């Protein structure tokens, strides 16, 4: 028998299948170790055949897996990813597996095993053989709890333990333990559904055995989570399994806790915050069919379930579902593939659905379900705009009069406050007031941000950092101005204005240690703090009944980024953040500070009018030929050599113009939004098309040409989430 094995030689850009002779038992989907040239490589078995190859072939050195790590469905899924994102087949398979199971050398993640002691015979016999008090204690202890961790016996007496082992009174057994164990205290009870929730539940429940995509458009606080949980319960009762995707687990601990407290040991968690060992354990729980529900971030969509009954994607508009590096897949597409394969529903839920998905739902491609009211007596908050230009004249550059007043009012009433500022650090811009010199990263084309706590200037792209300078490096002038507001400065300003308030800041700087997110959220929930301030981290999925005021310090940060989704992102961020206010019977207020008080997107947020925003934005997308009216492909041509990058990008653009359909629009080359990062220059070309049959083959030809060029890199992003 022979096996066709998929291997990868990264250094030489070789990927392909090669035939090897099988000597021991092996299946399609197993990893094997093979000789390739002078190297030993791991690869995946894609095919087994008894057809004798024409030339002499080597034997497989070793079969790594007893059981396949990739089943038939996942093998097919890999081909789909490779074809639709134009990545190599092996990188598609590798992204589907936890690090411990990737066909790569040098990673070594093992199962965690614990040594236990058990009795060799019954207790009477064991006691007869005991020579002293310690031995008797150990033997009795083992008997009373059936098995005892060896560690504990050694603590009592290591010599007695060893004697008992030597005399065969007791013996050692190895047992595998799972590293990740999340305990949740409070119990989340099944709730009686509201009419809107029940309607949503029934719609999905009707087609549990059909492939169908639902868009659950429910405003913040409408109780989507409860609908998810009850429908999943139904799926489990039917003997099937569920995948539940969330944008970022550390940002949504309350959501995950609800699931664990309701479904307990039936849940496996997969996300990037886990160690490789923890991920491996969770993966095996799934593979061994010990759990029915997988909750996780993007890559959890590859969970090795084999009887999927539903896939739910919460906050479906989130950019985190799209992977930024190769393979550039979107978890929504993968979910669609798997739902079709298992003939089950796919549910996309959001308060601010992606325009592309809403358009599909309105065209009838998806089933639209709406939940327009908050649960119980909670009402949507009242929203106010503050024009910061006039506040500047009043010398209130950071906190407006109105916001200051409202904060004081809530502090008096012992209610809580959330403040959003989507920029971390202290100042985002340091320049010399004499010569205009601006501190920039030498590797990236962006300004350095001043971090006061560490007294450093940092690049937020590559983490380059230097100590703060007192003089301008250009003219030696000592008068440096610190411009741009970051969360660190905001915190300082707030504590100056409200010295008695307890304030906590949440951004990547304060949450870099494991578990810090959860701690801050928990403490805030227990009202240890009056004010929570932070970046967009605080906008998602948090449910604090005592928060009655939300302040957006500068609504313009996302608006001014040149990107086709800038308006949508601004709307999402402001709307979702506003949604944190007034989630119980206490009503809430939102104050949005902006330099663009007439901006249409901001006005729609203030009116709480998603529909108005949708109509407006769809008009813009149509006029400018953006999705959902046109599809996009973003090509980046990257090189350490500026000249090379520039010349090659012109060649690529010409190649596309000569080979693609006449109706396809090719824009560029132009410099990418962040032109230089880590000393690499990037040019970009944008393709807009409605239908172009040649597109994939043309792109794939281009990619093959560049694969052999080690001076330039071609990055192809199909359906990018930003350009
Ligand atoms: P969403 O995810 O749609 O923003 P949540 O699922 O967080 O909303 O629900 C908002 C609040 O309403 C939560 O505190 C939740 O516990 C509560 N809730 C949800 N459904 C019900 C129900 N049927 N009865 C009572 N309270 C509910
Ligand atoms: Zn940098």
């Amino acid at each position: 028998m022979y096996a066709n094995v998929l291997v990868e030689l990264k250094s030489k850009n070789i990927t392909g299948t090669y035939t090897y002779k099988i000597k021991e038992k092996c299946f399609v989907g197993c990893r094997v170790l093979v000789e390739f040239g002078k190297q030993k490589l791991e690869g995946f078995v894609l095919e087994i055949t008894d057809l004798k190859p024409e030339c002499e072939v080597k034997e497989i050195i070793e079969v790594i897996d007893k059981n396949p790590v990739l089943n038939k469905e996942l093998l097919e899924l890999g081909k789909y990813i490779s074809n639709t994102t134009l990545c190599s087949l092996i990188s598609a398979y590798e992204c589907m597996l936890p690090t411990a199971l990737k066909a790569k050398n040098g990673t070594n993640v093992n199962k965690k095993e614990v040594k236990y002691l058990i009795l060799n015979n019954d207790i009477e016999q064991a006691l007869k053989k005991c020579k002293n008090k310690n031995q008797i204690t150990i033997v009795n202890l083992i008997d009373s709890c059936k098995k005892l961790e060896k560690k504990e016996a050694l603590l009592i007496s290591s010599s007695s333990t060893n004697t008992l082992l030597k005399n065969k009174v007791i013996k050692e057994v190895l047992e595998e333990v799972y590293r990740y164990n999340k305990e949740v205290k409070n119990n989340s009870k099944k709730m009686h559904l509201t009419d809107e929730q029940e309607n949503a539940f029934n719609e999905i429940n009707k087609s549990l055995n059909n492939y169908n995509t639902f868009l659950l458009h429910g405003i913040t606080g409408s109780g989507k989570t409860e609908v998810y949980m009850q429908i999943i319960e139904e799926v489990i009762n039917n003997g099937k399994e569920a995948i539940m995707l969330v944008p970022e687990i550390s940002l949504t601990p309350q959501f995950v806790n609800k699931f664990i407290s309701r479904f307990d040991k039936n849940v496996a968690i997969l996300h990037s915050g886990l160690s490789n060992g923890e991920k491996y354990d969770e993966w095996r729980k799934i593979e061994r069919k010990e759990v029915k529900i997988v909750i996780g971030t993007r890559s959890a969509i590859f969970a090795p379930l084999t009887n999927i009954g539903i896939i739910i994607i919460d906050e479906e508009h989130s950019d985190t579902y799209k992977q930024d590096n190769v393979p550039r897949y979107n978890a929504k597409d993968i979910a669609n593939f798997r739902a079709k394969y298992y003939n089950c529903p796919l549910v996309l839920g959001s308060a601010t659905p992606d325009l592309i998905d809403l358009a599909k739902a309105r065209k009838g491609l998806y089933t639209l379900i709406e939940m327009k009211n908050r649960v119980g007596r909670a009402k949507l908050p009242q929203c106010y705009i503050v024009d910061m230009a006039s506040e500047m004249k009043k010398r209130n550059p950071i906190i407006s009069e109105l916001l200051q007043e409202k904060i004081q009012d809530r502090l008096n009433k012992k209610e809580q406050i959330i403040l959003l500022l989507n920029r971390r650090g202290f100042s985002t811009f340091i320049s010399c007031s004499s010569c205009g010199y601006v501190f920039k990263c030498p590797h990236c084309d962006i300004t350095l941000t001043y971090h006061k706590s560490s007294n450093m200037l940092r690049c937020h792209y590559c983490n380059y950092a230097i100590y703060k300078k007192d003089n301008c490096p250009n003219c030696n002038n000592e008068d440096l101005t610190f411009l741009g507001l970051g969360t660190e400065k905001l915190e300082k300003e707030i504590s100056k204005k409200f010295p008695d308030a307890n304030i906590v800041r949440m951004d990547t700087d304060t949450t870099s240690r494991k578990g810090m997110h959860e701690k801050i959220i928990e403490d805030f929930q227990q009202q240890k703090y009056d004010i929570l301030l932070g970046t967009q981290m605080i906008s998602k999925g948090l449910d604090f009944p005592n928060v009655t005021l939300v302040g957006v310090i500068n609504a313009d940060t996302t608006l001014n980024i040149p990107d086709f989704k800038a308006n949508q992102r601004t709307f999402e961020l402001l709307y979702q953040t506003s949604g944190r206010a007034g989630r119980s019977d206490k009503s809430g207020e939102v104050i949005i500070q902006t330099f663009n008080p007439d901006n249409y997107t901001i006005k729609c947020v203030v009116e709480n009018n998603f529909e108005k925003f949708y109509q407006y934005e769809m008009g813009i997308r149509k006029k400018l030929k953006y999705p959902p009216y046109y599809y996009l492909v973003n090509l980046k041509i990257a090189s350490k050599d500026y000249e090379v990058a520039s010349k090659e990008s012109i060649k690529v653009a010409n190649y596309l113009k000569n080979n693609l359909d006449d109706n396809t629009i090719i824009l560029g080359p132009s410099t990418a939004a962040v032109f230089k990062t880590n000393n690499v220059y990037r040019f970009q070309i944008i393709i807009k098309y409605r239908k172009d049959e040649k597109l994939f083959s043309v792109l794939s030809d281009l990619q093959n040409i560049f694969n052999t060029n080690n001076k330039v890199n071609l990055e192809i992003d199909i359906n990018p989430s930003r350009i």
Side-chain angles (χ1 to χ4, degrees):
M1 295 291 267
Y2 299 88
N4 288 331
V5 178
L6 179 69
V7 292
E8 181 183 42
L9 248 183
K10 271 252 161 66
S11 57
K12 298 221 171 90
N13 255 314
I14 294 175
T15 49
T17 49
Y18 297 87
T19 308
Y20 291 87
K21 204 167 168 187
I22 297 174
K23 57 172 182 186
E24 56 184 315
K25 203 161 165 190
C26 122
F27 301 101
V28 170
C30 285
R31 287 169 306 160
V32 290
L33 190 65
V34 294
E35 217 176 290
F36 189 87
K38 280 181 191 140
Q39 294 186 59
K40 281 182 187 172
L41 294 178
E42 283 185 14
F44 296 98
V45 176
L46 292 193
E47 209 180 18
I48 291 179
T49 152
D50 44 20
L51 219 67
K52 196 172 155 41
E54 279 166 18
C55 54
E56 197 61 20
V57 297
K58 291 173 188 150
E59 266 189 356
I60 287 173
I61 303 171
E62 189 195 335
V63 178
I64 299 165
D65 307 299
K66 253 192 261 152
N67 299 310
V69 288
L70 295 169
N71 61 24
K72 186 168 156 268
E73 187 227 347
L74 296 180
L75 285 166
E76 261 180 52
L77 179 55
K79 285 181 201 150
Y80 166 82
I81 296 172
S82 163
N83 290 336
T84 52
T85 73
L86 296 177
C87 70
S88 69
L89 193 52
I90 194 139
S91 61
Y93 289 138
E94 290 199 329
C95 84
M96 294 159 58
L97 295 169
T99 310
L101 295 174
K102 286 186 204 299
K104 267 192 194 133
N105 307 307
T107 49
N108 201 354
V109 181
N110 290 320
K111 295 175 198 168
K112 185 174 175 188
E113 288 175 320
V114 171
K115 285 179 185 158
Y116 285 100
L117 300 173
I118 56 170
L119 296 181
N120 237 339
N121 271 305
D122 61 36
I123 179 74
E124 273 88 45
Q125 297 220 21
L127 284 171
K128 262 185 233 155
K129 290 187 189 157
C130 286
K131 301 266 162 29
N132 62 34
K133 226 174 90 192
N134 278 341
Q135 291 185 10
I136 295 173
T137 311
I138 293 170
V139 164
N140 275 326
L141 210 54
I142 296 176
D143 181 57
S144 68
C145 41
K146 297 281 177 286
K147 66 181 185 191
L148 181 69
E149 245 194 86
K150 186 175 179 189
K151 233 170 36 191
E152 291 181 33
L154 292 175
L155 280 177
I156 297 166
S157 158
S158 56
S159 61
S160 299
T161 307
N162 290 329
T163 315
L164 287 168
L165 278 168
K166 206 174 73 199
N167 296 343
K168 300 215 165 60
V169 181
I170 59 176
K171 70 175 172 200
E172 218 176 86
V173 287
L174 275 178
E175 257 181 48
E176 192 188 341
V177 291
Y178 295 133
R179 273 155 281 213
Y180 186 67
N181 245 325
K182 199 165 160 47
E183 299 275 336
V184 174
K185 282 159 260 157
N186 51 340
N187 182 8
S188 115
K189 288 219 177 66
K190 195 166 164 173
M191 291 180 195
H192 184 76
L193 296 180
T194 64
D195 288 350
E196 278 189 333
Q197 284 175 322
E198 188 162 317
N199 170 58
F201 174 89
N202 287 337
E203 278 282 322
I204 302 166
N205 195 31
K206 265 195 309 210
S207 70
L208 273 191
N209 293 314
N210 296 314
Y211 162 63
N212 189 5
T213 304
F214 294 91
L215 180 64
L216 178 56
H217 182 190
I219 64 164
T220 53
S222 60
K224 295 184 286 294
T225 318
E226 187 62 30
V227 175
Y228 300 153
M229 288 199 284
Q230 297 207 10
I231 201 80
I232 286 177
E233 192 181 328
E234 204 61 32
V235 167
I236 295 176
N237 288 343
N238 293 343
K240 294 191 180 173
E241 303 152 339
I243 298 182
M244 174 83 236
L245 292 192
V246 292
E248 255 177 281
I249 288 226
S250 55
L251 305 188
T252 48
Q254 293 176 321
F255 184 94
V256 177
N257 288 352
K258 273 186 198 165
F259 270 79
I260 298 179
S261 74
R262 188 158 311 170
F263 297 105
D264 198 26
K265 292 270 181 287
N266 246 333
V267 181
I269 308 278
L270 286 175
H271 66 97
S272 57
L274 302 181
S275 70
N276 284 336
E278 287 171 332
K279 274 187 222 160
Y280 182 39
D281 290 351
E282 295 299 294
W283 196 87
R284 272 173 312 126
K285 273 187 209 167
I286 303 165
E287 210 218 352
R288 292 172 177 173
K289 309 234 161 286
E290 292 169 5
V291 296
K292 295 268 185 208
I293 307 168
V294 177
I295 301 183
T297 46
R298 183 177 59 232
S299 64
I301 195 60
F302 298 116
L305 296 168
T306 54
N307 191 15
I308 299 175
I310 197 164
I311 302 176
I312 302 176
I313 304 185
D314 190 34
E315 310 280 359
E316 67 92 29
H317 60 274
S318 171
D319 286 333
T320 62
Y321 292 124
K322 174 82 200 266
Q323 176 149 296
D324 266 344
N325 40 32
V326 177
R328 296 190 170 82
Y329 70 90
N330 191 325
K332 277 194 247 176
D333 298 329
I334 311 296
N336 185 53
F337 178 99
R338 300 196 76 179
K340 211 186 272 178
Y341 190 94
Y342 288 102
N343 207 24
C344 75
L346 165 61
V347 179
L348 308 173
S350 175
T352 51
D354 192 288
L355 261 53
I356 299 173
D357 292 314
L358 190 54
K360 279 188 188 167
R362 298 226 162 141
K363 264 176 98 179
L365 297 170
Y366 296 166
T367 307
L368 183 63
I369 306 173
E370 291 182 314
M371 301 208 295
K372 295 185 170 172
N373 298 289
R374 283 193 158 181
V375 173
R377 281 181 294 161
K379 286 207 190 64
L380 279 173
Q382 182 71 42
C383 242
Y384 305 93
I385 295 186
V386 174
D387 179 2
M388 285 311 276
S390 59
E391 291 294 318
M392 289 299 264
K393 290 190 198 123
K394 293 189 252 172
R395 298 191 175 273
N396 298 323
I398 302 178
I399 311 279
S400 61
E401 241 165 48
L402 183 66
L403 184 56
Q404 171 148 359
E405 229 169 73
K406 299 272 182 194
I407 293 176
Q408 192 55 57
D409 172 63
R410 300 307 138 97
L411 291 174
N412 296 344
K413 290 198 231 159
K414 294 260 168 273
E415 292 174 355
Q416 287 172 294
I417 300 146
I418 289 180
L419 299 177
L420 171 84
L421 176 62
N422 207 11
R423 262 193 198 141
R424 66 197 170 97
F426 195 82
S427 302
T428 49
F429 209 80
I430 299 127
S431 72
C432 169
S433 44
S434 164
C435 75
Y437 176 88
V438 176
F439 284 85
K440 281 190 170 184
C441 173
H443 312 294
C444 309
D445 189 37
I446 65 160
T447 57
L448 295 171
T449 297
Y450 175 47
H451 288 245
K452 193 167 177 134
S453 53
S454 54
N455 201 33
M456 296 197 101
L457 306 181
R458 266 179 215 288
C459 168
H460 284 184
Y461 273 90
C462 72
N463 271 332
Y464 167 87
I466 48 168
Y467 278 106
K468 190 194 112 186
K469 300 260 190 321
D470 294 325
N471 303 64
C472 170
N474 190 35
C475 71
N476 218 23
N477 169 31
E478 283 176 18
D479 190 12
L480 300 177
T481 17
F482 290 71
L483 301 164
L485 174 67
T487 42
E488 220 183 307
K489 191 154 152 191
L490 177 65
E491 184 182 15
K492 207 168 158 222
E493 182 75 13
I494 296 282
S495 46
K496 218 164 64 191
K497 283 205 146 96
F498 306 100
D500 298 328
N502 287 318
I503 304 163
V504 62
R505 169 162 64 99
M506 189 157 104
D507 55 29
T508 25
D509 298 321
T510 61
T511 54
S512 50
R513 258 190 309 135
K514 203 174 169 177
M516 273 313 284
H517 276 117
E518 277 164 298
K519 171 128 182 49
I520 293 176
I521 290 168
E522 215 166 89
D523 287 351
F524 188 66
Q525 188 162 30
Q526 291 171 5
Q527 303 185 23
K528 289 185 189 165
Y529 298 104
D530 307 305
I531 303 176
L532 168 67
L533 66 90
T535 54
Q536 91 281 351
M537 277 185 185
I538 59 171
S539 70
K540 287 188 190 128
L542 300 173
D543 189 13
F544 305 111
N546 198 40
V547 170
T548 58
L549 177 65
V550 165
V552 178
I553 303 302
N554 181 355
D556 310 319
T557 48
T558 45
L559 214 50
N560 296 333
I561 298 168
D563 181 73
F564 79 100
K565 280 174 100 179
N567 286 339
Q568 190 182 327
R569 281 200 193 95
T570 305
F571 187 89
E572 276 159 24
L573 180 67
L574 298 183
Y575 185 86
Q576 298 271 356
T577 310
S578 308
R580 303 306 120 216
R583 290 173 71 91
S584 61
D585 37 12
K586 291 178 194 158
S587 60
E589 286 182 316
V590 177
I591 296 186
I592 296 178
Q593 304 190 150
T594 173
F595 286 97
N596 300 292
D598 295 326
N599 180 278
Y600 201 86
T601 304
I602 293 180
K603 280 192 167 155
C604 292
V605 174
V606 172
E607 291 171 24
N608 251 312
N609 197 335
F610 181 82
E611 183 59 32
K612 194 167 163 185
F613 170 73
Y614 173 79
Q615 296 298 346
Y616 163 73
E617 182 65 13
M618 286 293 273
I620 295 179
R621 300 275 183 99
K622 188 169 184 181
K623 206 165 115 201
L624 300 181
K625 301 192 163 72
Y626 279 124
Y629 297 99
Y630 275 73
Y631 296 105
L632 296 177
V633 179
N634 186 0
L635 285 92
K636 292 215 175 85
I637 295 94
S639 175
K640 291 213 161 178
D641 186 327
Y642 175 90
E643 288 295 324
V644 172
S646 163
K647 272 193 196 132
E648 289 296 325
S649 62
I650 294 168
K651 275 201 243 165
V652 171
N654 286 335
Y655 185 85
L656 293 171
K657 279 172 195 154
N658 292 334
N659 288 285
L660 291 178
D661 198 287
D662 287 343
N663 293 320
T664 297
I665 301 163
I666 295 148
L667 300 173
S670 62
T671 52
V674 183
F675 177 46
K676 183 185 171 199
T677 44
N678 278 318
N679 294 319
V680 172
Y681 297 91
R682 275 192 179 76
F683 285 84
Q684 92 179 355
I685 295 170
I686 290 160
I687 303 175
K688 294 180 177 178
Y689 72 99
R690 290 172 78 102
K691 200 169 164 233
D692 192 329
E693 295 190 337
K694 289 172 272 183
L695 182 75
F696 275 75
S697 70
V698 169
L699 290 178
S700 137
D701 289 347
L702 257 182
Q703 198 169 44
N704 289 336
I705 298 170
F706 276 91
N707 269 345
T708 51
N709 188 337
N710 49 20
K711 271 204 169 143
V712 203
N713 222 346
L714 176 69
E715 301 162 6
I716 300 178
D717 193 351
I718 293 162
N719 301 327
S721 65
R722 59 183 72 230
I723 54 169

